[in-house]
Amino acid sequence: EDQVTQSPEALRLQEGESSSLNCSYTVSGLRGLFWYRQDPGKGPEFLFTLYSAGEEKEKERLKATLTKKESFLHITAPKPEDSATYLCAVQADFNKFYFGSGTKLNVKP
Amino acid sequence: SAVISQKPSRDICQRGTSLTIQCQVDSQVTMMFWYRQQPGQSLTLIATANQGSEATYESGFVIDKFPISRPNLTFSTLTVSNMSPEDSSIYLCSVEGGEQLYEQYFGPGTRLTVT
């Protein structure tokens, strides 16, 4: 069964304390893995797309990596404004799109 | 990336009534998607809407409950019919587009409360 699992469900960090969010997936025919940021009351905001194992993308304090089974979103020296829910999604065969349940990140000053 | 707007941004509706949500994109796109995000949950795809053809619904969603229109390449509507409190949710439209394949961009969402 195709599925996407994110961990942890929630993460509390102190400002400057680096960490990683995990997205593991089991799908048939991975076409792409996507990371989104969602602020309360808003639609998801696109961050990254990864297509193949070994690929990495960076944007400011965020870095996304991909293996054959999972993806990590590394947050380096986070700031309070990085607080949000981070969603992982996978596109598989037949244009099926699966979202994980998200990791709610809270960065304390 | 595409700029997407939705109307209304929120609504409170009575049980048994229907609500039509509009999604407008600032550029022409082939594929538009409608999602539901129930409180505290992630996104679930309702249907894919291509211009000029019938919408394709995911398992658990039917056209009688969620009729969709796609009259042109920049606009779509989703109607939530005969609503019940279980339909209370955020409804989001998205489009595929961007610099790389399969990227999806989302509208701000419509927060629906059914009483």
Side-chain angles (χ1 to χ4, degrees):
Chain A
E1 181 186 341
D2 295 339
Q3 65 178 15
V4 178
T5 305
Q6 289 188 248
S7 61
E9 287 186 13
L11 182 61
R12 273 190 173 187
L13 298 173
Q14 286 296 127
E15 184 171 2
E17 179 187 2
S18 301
S19 187
S20 295
L21 314 182
N22 177 263
C23 171
S24 62
Y25 61 91
T26 52
V27 297
S28 54
L30 176 72
R31 293 190 172 195
L33 185 141
F34 308 87
W35 282 98
Y36 290 87
R37 169 190 171 129
Q38 187 173 27
D39 293 295
K42 296 188 176 181
E45 174 191 342
F46 172 80
L47 292 174
F48 301 110
T49 308
L50 300 165
Y51 292 105
S52 56
E55 192 175 357
E56 298 182 352
K57 294 273 180 74
E58 281 189 72
K59 181 180 179 180
E60 296 180 354
R61 294 178 292 282
L62 300 176
K63 179 180 177 180
T65 61
L66 180 65
T67 72
K68 288 186 177 180
K69 299 280 188 186
E70 59 191 348
S71 176
F72 292 94
L73 184 66
H74 307 277
I75 302 177
T76 302
K79 299 182 178 182
E81 52 262 41
D82 295 322
S83 297
T85 295
Y86 290 85
L87 296 169
C88 166
V90 168
Q91 185 166 34
D93 282 342
F94 307 109
N95 283 331
K96 292 293 186 183
F97 219 85
Y98 302 95
F99 273 85
S101 54
T103 293
K104 188 171 183 179
L105 175 65
N106 186 7
V107 182
K108 297 277 194 183
Chain B
S1 61
V3 177
I4 304 166
S5 60
Q6 287 185 232
K7 288 182 181 179
S9 58
R10 58 176 63 221
D11 207 342
I12 300 173
C13 300
Q14 298 262 1
R15 181 195 301 257
T17 62
S18 297
L19 176 72
T20 295
I21 302 167
Q22 299 179 5
C23 178
Q24 180 76 53
V25 189
D26 70 342
S27 57
Q28 293 186 340
V29 293
T30 303
M31 298 181 75
M32 295 181 77
F33 307 88
W34 287 98
Y35 286 85
R36 181 173 74 182
Q37 187 173 28
Q38 295 181 304
Q41 305 290 318
S42 191
L43 283 74
T44 302
L45 181 63
I46 297 171
T48 302
N50 290 336
Q51 195 267 337
S53 63
E54 296 270 338
T56 303
Y57 289 83
E58 297 298 307
S59 175
F61 298 96
V62 295
I63 188 170
D64 290 346
K65 176 68 176 175
F66 297 101
I68 288 171
S69 78
R70 181 81 203 274
N72 58 52
L73 291 172
T74 63
F75 188 79
S76 179
T77 67
L78 170 77
T79 299
V80 186
S81 303
N82 188 24
M83 289 184 284
S84 66
E86 292 72 37
D87 295 318
S88 297
S89 199
I90 298 173
Y91 292 85
L92 295 141
C93 72
S94 75
V95 303
E96 195 173 81
E99 295 181 358
Q100 299 188 17
L101 286 175
Y102 314 128
E103 288 179 11
Q104 285 195 20
Y105 295 89
F106 286 83
T110 295
R111 183 180 291 272
L112 171 62
T113 302
V114 183
T115 61

